[in-house]
Amino acid sequence: MPHVVCLRPVHPEALALLGAREGVTVEVLDPVNEETIAASIPKAEAVIVRATPINRAFLAHAPNLRIVARHGVGYDAVDVPALTERGIPLTVTPDANAQSVAEHAMMLLLNIARQTAFYDKATRELRWSNPPVPGTFDLAGRTILIMGFGRIGGRVARLCAAFGMRVLVRDPFIPQNTIKGAGFIPVKDLSAGLAEADVVTVHVPSSEKTRGFVNGEFLAGMKRGAVLVNTARGTLVDEKALAGALTSGHLAAAGLDVFWDEPATADNPLLKLPNVIVTPHTAAATEQSLRRMALSCAESILQVFDGKLDPDVVINQEVLRGNA
């Protein structure tokens, strides 16, 4: 009898979809810790994972595991080679949260542009007519550099264009004609793009090649007074270097949904800076996105049980050939 374990609660419609399948049982772990994992994972044939690391220690408890369904798109906390060795596919939810994350990136940028937090505080304090005016600006006419032109980056590009922004795109894996055909300006030379952009927004996955690539050199190459937005992964950004660039005034502001260490801790210097707006890795946490991600995970699991998993959602596709 196939058993599915959800590592933390997911949308009830996904649980209902799984539970409606004859012979499938579903268990939700909350909290997720060593004790609950050791007790429940040995009988699991499928897991839905949100933030729990999936590593060799975890897999040692899971002799019957047939699929790991990631509730989201980032999988830097998953040991993909370890799954591949076992022939276990890792699936993600590539379309489910793209719009939500794109909108969140725009929300951070708009809050910076219009100094929403400052004016909210001033209004609540009844400083109506003469609060000290911070630097606000229109998005229209500004130049934005979008790092990564995938599902999220492409949506951000379209949203920025709708605001009247000039949109540059840097993605060495996308043909330049594809970027041009979408109505945007491809950037071959990163240094030239950084020097030109008023805003840089990051939409690339975290990997060995990209980890920490937004470093001191990258930040120094950005236009003075520019803004950085990151809704991708905190491990893409050297936080010490970013704090330095913000403190010195080289960068005007940053909007961050993600941090190198999560949850963020009190000693993170970025949390102390007035020109940083932060959210706790919630870009994908809209009601609609949570529903879509959970249902996508449930559908992938049922497809595995039916022997017809959609390859488009599988990260380690070599296991599909091995399991064929």
Side-chain angles (χ1 to χ4, degrees):
M1 179 177 293
H3 186 63
V4 181
V5 175
C6 303
L7 304 176
R8 291 175 53 193
V10 298
H11 197 280
E13 287 188 32
L15 299 178
L17 179 63
L18 291 166
R21 176 65 68 90
E22 184 178 356
V24 173
T25 56
V26 184
E27 179 182 5
V28 177
L29 293 193
D30 188 22
V32 179
N33 53 43
E34 291 184 7
E35 290 75 23
T36 57
I37 288 172
S40 297
I41 295 304
K43 54 189 176 182
E45 293 192 28
V47 299
I48 296 177
V49 60
R50 297 180 69 172
T52 307
I54 303 296
N55 50 31
R56 293 181 186 275
F58 179 97
L59 294 174
H61 293 289
N64 300 309
L65 195 58
R66 297 169 59 187
I67 177 175
V68 172
R70 168 75 175 96
H71 189 277
V73 293
Y75 51 91
D76 41 310
V78 179
D79 188 337
V80 180
L83 290 181
T84 303
E85 289 173 16
R86 290 267 303 271
I88 300 169
L90 168 66
T91 64
V92 294
T93 59
D95 293 309
N97 67 4
Q99 186 63 32
S100 303
V101 177
E103 290 183 9
H104 197 92
M106 293 303 298
M107 179 276 296
L108 292 173
L109 178 54
L110 283 164
N111 271 273
I112 290 168
R114 306 315 293 265
Q115 293 290 330
T116 309
F118 171 86
Y119 282 117
D120 176 84
K121 184 174 184 292
T123 305
R124 293 174 189 276
E125 294 172 353
L126 304 181
R127 293 185 290 125
W128 182 264
S129 58
N130 292 304
V133 179
T136 60
F137 57 88
D138 295 338
L139 296 188
R142 297 275 172 148
T143 297
I144 187 166
L145 172 61
I146 296 175
M147 302 291 297
F149 197 60
R151 291 176 175 88
I152 296 171
R155 284 172 168 82
V156 173
R158 293 192 291 274
L159 290 171
C160 290
F163 273 89
M165 301 187 80
R166 179 170 174 263
V167 180
L168 311 179
V169 173
R170 166 74 175 178
D171 192 326
F173 300 103
I174 302 293
Q176 296 209 356
N177 284 339
T178 299
I179 296 170
K180 289 179 181 178
F184 310 119
I185 304 168
V187 170
K188 276 187 177 181
D189 183 352
L190 176 58
S191 60
L194 292 175
E196 192 175 354
D198 300 296
V199 180
V200 176
T201 182
V202 181
H203 303 285
V204 301
S206 178
S207 67
E208 289 185 7
K209 292 183 179 180
T210 61
R211 196 166 292 119
F213 87 98
V214 180
N215 54 20
E217 181 181 0
F218 182 106
L219 297 166
M222 289 176 63
K223 186 177 183 179
R224 184 169 183 82
V227 170
L228 178 74
V229 175
N230 184 15
T231 55
R233 281 293 183 271
T235 49
L236 299 171
V237 177
D238 180 334
E239 293 181 339
K240 183 178 179 181
L242 176 57
L246 290 162
T247 302
S248 71
H250 180 69
L251 294 190
L256 308 172
D257 182 55
V258 288
F259 296 86
W260 193 286
D261 293 315
E262 295 182 352
T265 55
D267 61 350
N268 189 314
L270 295 169
L271 299 182
K272 299 177 176 65
L273 297 179
N275 52 346
V276 178
I277 182 169
V278 294
T279 51
H281 204 150
T282 53
T286 67
E287 179 181 347
Q288 295 84 356
S289 177
L290 291 171
R291 175 182 178 273
R292 290 190 297 260
M293 288 188 289
L295 285 172
S296 178
C297 289
E299 289 162 0
S300 294
I301 288 169
L302 293 176
Q303 287 172 7
V304 163
F305 294 163
D306 292 339
K308 51 180 183 181
L309 181 58
D310 179 3
D312 288 343
V313 302
V314 179
I315 296 301
N316 50 346
Q317 295 199 6
E318 57 267 43
V319 304
L320 301 181
R321 296 187 289 271
N323 294 339

